[in-house]
Amino acid sequence: MKLSVNGHSAFATTGGAHFDPAKPAVIFLHGAGFDRTVWRLQTRWFAHHGRGVLAVDLPAHGWSDGPVLDSVAAMAEWTAALIDAAGLKQAALVGHSMGALVAIETAARFPDKVRGLGLCGVAAEMPVHPEMLESAKANTLKVQELMTFWGMGNALHKGGMVSPGLWLRRESLAVLSGNKPGVIYNDLAACNVYKDAVARAATVKCPTVLVLGDGDLMTPAAKAKPLAAAIAGARTVVIPNSGHFMIVERPDETLEALKSSA
């Protein structure tokens, strides 16, 4: 499905069902360097259980056009514009990693547009290792290798994907390698400098669940505690035997956790 957001084409998948703006909407926001495809194992359930689903490619990612957005705040403004472009009054936002920061920022700045939050692989701050930033800026392969190696839980390095036919690390590398030069660096740099998550979270009033992996090396579960404490009534679900990519590593457990807020 294509939408026009701020004069540029934005692409979204709808979970295998017709998108109906009259239904409660759920918008899925991907992490740094990735695209809408990371959500394919959650979107179908919502699309076939009474929700209108949009798993979007952020500008300059996947099949979406437009200039890359250089800050979490700019991505939040784009998300608010997307809600309007889709003909919605409000939506639940489900974000992974960078997308979770964008979801928090959007809910804080545009509270009337956000009815719930699902925050996967999130932390109060997301500093990026200098080696990753350096590689991303130079557009070398090392950053892609580090993102997939550190992002994947230990159990998945040894096999055991629950989705038949998927090789998570190789698939992740394929998505990352498809990015235009500068996109991964832009995303990582935006996460690295964003320090407003806790302050923004304190203003969030909608139902919120944090979905964390107990083996996440990129956003360790303990680093999400300030966010959980800041959001009134927030619920935290820690998924066992999972790294940063719980949405693919442990898709069923992630889905169950998200149902309450989306």
Side-chain angles (χ1 to χ4, degrees), residues 192-208:
N192 190 54
V193 301
Y194 185 70
K195 308 297 182 186
D196 297 334
V198 174
R200 295 289 191 257
T203 71
V204 170
K205 306 301 182 186
C206 59
T208 300

Side-chain angles (χ1 to χ4, degrees), residues 106-180:
T106 307
R109 298 179 63 181
F110 306 95
D112 293 341
K113 294 182 184 293
V114 181
R115 63 177 179 83
L117 290 178
L119 309 174
C120 302
V122 68
E125 293 188 7
M126 294 189 189
V128 179
H129 194 284
E131 196 172 350
M132 291 176 65
L133 283 173
E134 182 181 344
S135 172
K137 191 171 186 178
N139 197 37
T140 65
L141 293 177
K142 190 169 189 178
V143 65
Q144 300 174 28
E145 295 168 350
L146 291 174
M147 288 173 73
T148 54
F149 184 81
W150 287 341
M152 191 188 308
N154 184 58
L156 272 298
H157 283 283
K158 303 171 184 176
M161 268 296 294
V162 296
S163 302
L166 291 181
W167 178 10
L168 179 57
R169 191 171 183 212
R170 187 67 194 91
E171 183 183 23
S172 298
L173 284 168
V175 174
L176 291 169
S177 68
N179 279 289
K180 302 177 183 71

Side-chain angles (χ1 to χ4, degrees), residues 16 19 30 42-43 53 56 70 87 97 102 129 139 142-143 149 168 199 212 223 234 239 246 249:
F19 177 73
H30 60 78
Q42 287 80 40
T43 51
V53 167
V56 299
D70 62 2
S97 196
V102 175
H129 194 284
N139 197 37
K142 190 169 189 178
V143 65
F149 184 81
L168 179 57
L212 313 172
K223 299 294 185 181
I239 298 179
M246 71 287 296
E249 294 179 52

Side-chain angles (χ1 to χ4, degrees), residues 4-31:
S4 179
V5 182
N6 297 333
H8 296 283
S9 177
F11 189 82
T13 51
T14 60
H18 173 71
F19 177 73
D20 182 354
K23 294 179 178 179
V26 188
I27 294 174
F28 292 83
L29 302 167
H30 60 78

